Amino acid sequence: MKNNPSAAARRDFLKFLAASPYVAAGGGVAAFLADSGFAQDIKQSSFASIMRDRMSVVEKPADALTVFDMEATARTKVQPGHWAYMASGTDDDATLFANRDAYRQVQLRPRRLRDATKVDMQVDLFGTTYASPVFTCPTGGQGSFHADGELGVARATRARNTMQMLSTSSGMALDDVVKAHGRPVWQQLYAPRNWEACVELLKRFQNAGISVIALTVDNTTGRFSETFFRTRPKDLKQCEGCHKNGFEGGRHRPLTDGIDMRGGPRTDPAMDWKFVERVRDYWKGKFMIKGIDTHEDAKLCLDHGLDGILVSNHGGRSTETGRGTLEALPEVVAAVNGRIPVFVDGGVRRGTDVFKALALGATAVGIGRPTLWGLGAFGEAGVNRVLEIMQAELKLVMGNCGTQKVADINRNYVATPHWKS
């Protein structure tokens, strides 16, 4: 792997900040980054200075022109420690930035003189019709960004007829989220270390009417979140307001109340394909895997009877692959050859990003950080506005490119001259 000069520069810059009396007087590195937005992926763009000027703190959701305005606004409201956790990736943050950069390397090939007045963004996902192929990713602890938490996201997705995928680390009760969403959400699963606990979780999903689960497999051994550790507040006593026993104590997760989670609530590092088979045999609904990014594993998903794949690298927060999910998408799509749907998340910020992912074979496209930006800025209303912006941008690019239906979008509408394959 080639040396990453931007990563070296980032480390040097963080060291400089840590030693600066000016930064210390202003509240430390975390406060500086909160003001400057250094940790955000938009600053990796070659248009960084222009975009920084264009991003603005807004007073109400309707004033936001893009999701980046929600980012700027949320940064002024969310606690520094929570912001640093959300904004950071792993190791040198190379994968976090690669997720975004991949979309910049894909070009559109619009077809002209087609009726753009009949654009229909509706999609059918496992038998349910949604207003668009944009869905909200399962980001845990949404209450860290606004009191509305997962319920606010549920109400916003209901209003926008958007699929919501809920995290096992949700701070709200599953039944309450389902009620607010108006129909069963899709449920992400962090499989616990003992099978009995896993069965209890699956039973709770079934009792709530959940028909689609997504097992996360891309973070089984944890991660080294260097940027987070360097930018979070030095005094973690302030974390005791929302974390048991300080930051390391974690948050309340209603989904696991009353379940023996010995060994910890997160994924078992010994998890393998035999475990997948065990879940497949038990679970009678749709079963996806979240975190696949190679054709080899995609073929194994087919071999083990999976109903779908979510190409994901945890928003650049799992393995430091240095490769964006959009770059991984085509080989996964080719491997499954239409037999099961393929979803993707990571780095999606614009309607054009959604279009590019669809053109490269995605069935639907997830947004993670933009959802949290909207939530942190204005709660439910902010998430609603984020979805409104994303859907409006997608409709615009569909019309401009000459595609009336999502099914019309294919590889012919994009070019990838900067990719090796």
Side-chain angles (χ1 to χ4, degrees):
M1 184 174 179
K2 295 180 180 179
N3 291 330
N4 187 342
S6 64
R10 182 181 68 88
R11 288 194 297 270
D12 291 342
F13 183 62
L14 289 173
K15 291 177 182 178
F16 165 77
L17 292 180
S20 168
Y22 169 79
V23 172
V29 174
F32 180 89
L33 294 180
D35 290 337
S36 68
F38 174 80
Q40 294 308 297
D41 58 5
I42 187 61
K43 296 183 67 58
Q44 289 296 304
S45 169
S46 59
F47 302 105
S49 60
I50 297 174
M51 289 303 298
R52 187 193 296 183
D53 291 338
R54 288 168 57 185
M55 290 169 59
S56 58
V57 175
V58 294
E59 295 184 359
K60 56 183 184 295
D63 292 338
L65 298 179
T66 73
V67 299
F68 297 112
D69 291 332
M70 289 297 187
E71 176 195 0
T73 304
R75 196 163 56 236
T76 68
K77 299 181 178 183
V78 176
Q79 292 185 31
H82 296 162
W83 186 266
Y85 183 76
M86 176 274 296
S88 62
T90 188
D91 294 356
D92 290 327
D93 294 340
T95 309
L96 185 155
F97 297 134
N99 278 346
R100 187 74 196 110
D101 288 339
Y103 283 96
R104 299 189 184 100
Q105 295 172 22
V106 177
Q107 303 169 351
L108 297 181
R109 300 184 67 250
R111 297 297 306 278
R112 305 304 188 189
L113 295 173
R114 295 180 175 181
D115 188 350
T117 65
K118 300 177 181 179
V119 173
D120 181 0
M121 297 184 294
Q122 289 189 110
V123 292
D124 180 280
L125 304 179
F126 291 137
T128 300
T129 300
Y130 296 94
S132 82
V134 178
F135 65 91
T136 60
C137 294
T139 52
Q142 293 174 358
S144 301
F145 299 89
H146 192 279
D148 285 354
E150 288 82 2
L151 294 180
V153 175
R155 290 190 291 264
T157 51
R158 180 178 187 172
R160 290 288 162 190
N161 192 14
T162 300
M163 188 270 281
Q164 177 187 14
M165 191 178 294
L166 187 68
S167 171
T168 305
S169 300
S170 168
M172 305 285 185
L174 176 56
D175 288 340
D176 292 339
V177 176
V178 169
K179 182 178 180 180
H181 186 59
R183 57 187 167 197
V185 297
W186 291 16
Q187 179 65 59
Q188 176 267 347
L189 172 64
Y190 281 125
R193 293 172 185 258
N194 65 88
W195 176 247
E196 291 74 16
C198 185
V199 168
E200 289 302 313
L201 276 174
L202 293 175
K203 286 181 179 177
R204 292 187 179 186
F205 298 164
Q206 291 172 336
N207 292 337
I210 304 301
S211 60
V212 182
I213 62 170
L215 174 67
T216 291
V217 300
D218 62 7
N219 194 26
T220 57
T221 58
R223 57 178 173 254
F224 176 48
S225 302
E226 178 187 346
T227 300
F228 167 62
F229 289 124
R230 293 189 187 280
T231 58
R232 70 181 184 179
K234 299 301 182 184
D235 183 4
L236 297 182
K237 290 182 179 180
Q238 61 182 281
C239 297
E240 294 178 359
C242 55
H243 296 268
K244 298 177 182 178
N245 303 316
F247 174 80
E248 300 301 333
R251 286 177 162 271
H252 177 227
R253 297 184 175 93
L255 196 55
T256 60
D257 280 351
I259 298 178
D260 181 4
M261 302 294 289
R262 60 183 183 275
R266 292 294 180 135
T267 303
D268 185 354
M271 184 172 59
D272 56 14
W273 288 102
K274 290 183 179 180
F275 177 83
V276 172
E277 291 175 0
R278 205 170 186 183
V279 176
R280 176 71 285 177
D281 289 342
Y282 181 88
W283 182 255
K284 303 309 177 185
K286 299 297 183 181
F287 179 22
M288 300 169 51
I289 285 188
K290 176 181 181 290
I292 298 296
D293 57 9
T294 65
H295 66 84
E296 295 93 341
D297 282 343
K299 290 176 181 177
L300 286 171
C301 286
L302 293 177
D303 293 342
H304 288 82
L306 273 296
D307 299 298
I309 292 172
L310 175 47
V311 178
S312 177
N313 55 31
H314 228 90
R317 298 166 61 81
S318 55
T319 309
E320 184 73 309
T321 63
R323 183 168 74 143
T325 50
L326 189 68
E327 296 173 274
L329 176 64
E331 70 173 88
V332 174
V333 169
V336 304
N337 195 27
R339 292 172 59 184
I340 58 176
V342 177
F343 306 83
V344 68
D345 64 24
V348 180
R349 305 291 183 263
R350 293 277 193 179
T352 48
D353 299 337
V354 177
F355 186 94
K356 292 172 183 179
L358 295 172
L360 291 174
T363 300
V365 183
I367 55 172
R369 288 185 177 88
T371 302
L372 296 180
W373 296 343
L375 186 65
F378 300 106
E380 174 190 342
V383 178
N384 190 307
R385 178 59 178 155
V386 164
L387 293 172
E388 181 182 26
I389 290 170
M390 295 294 294
Q391 291 175 346
E393 289 183 351
L394 175 60
K395 186 175 184 179
L396 183 65
V397 68
M398 284 180 65
N400 283 335
C401 284
T403 54
Q404 294 183 341
K405 298 177 295 184
V406 171
D408 295 337
I409 305 172
N410 59 51
R411 188 66 173 77
N412 294 324
Y413 289 93
V414 294
T416 56
H418 304 296
W419 288 7
K420 294 181 179 179
S421 60

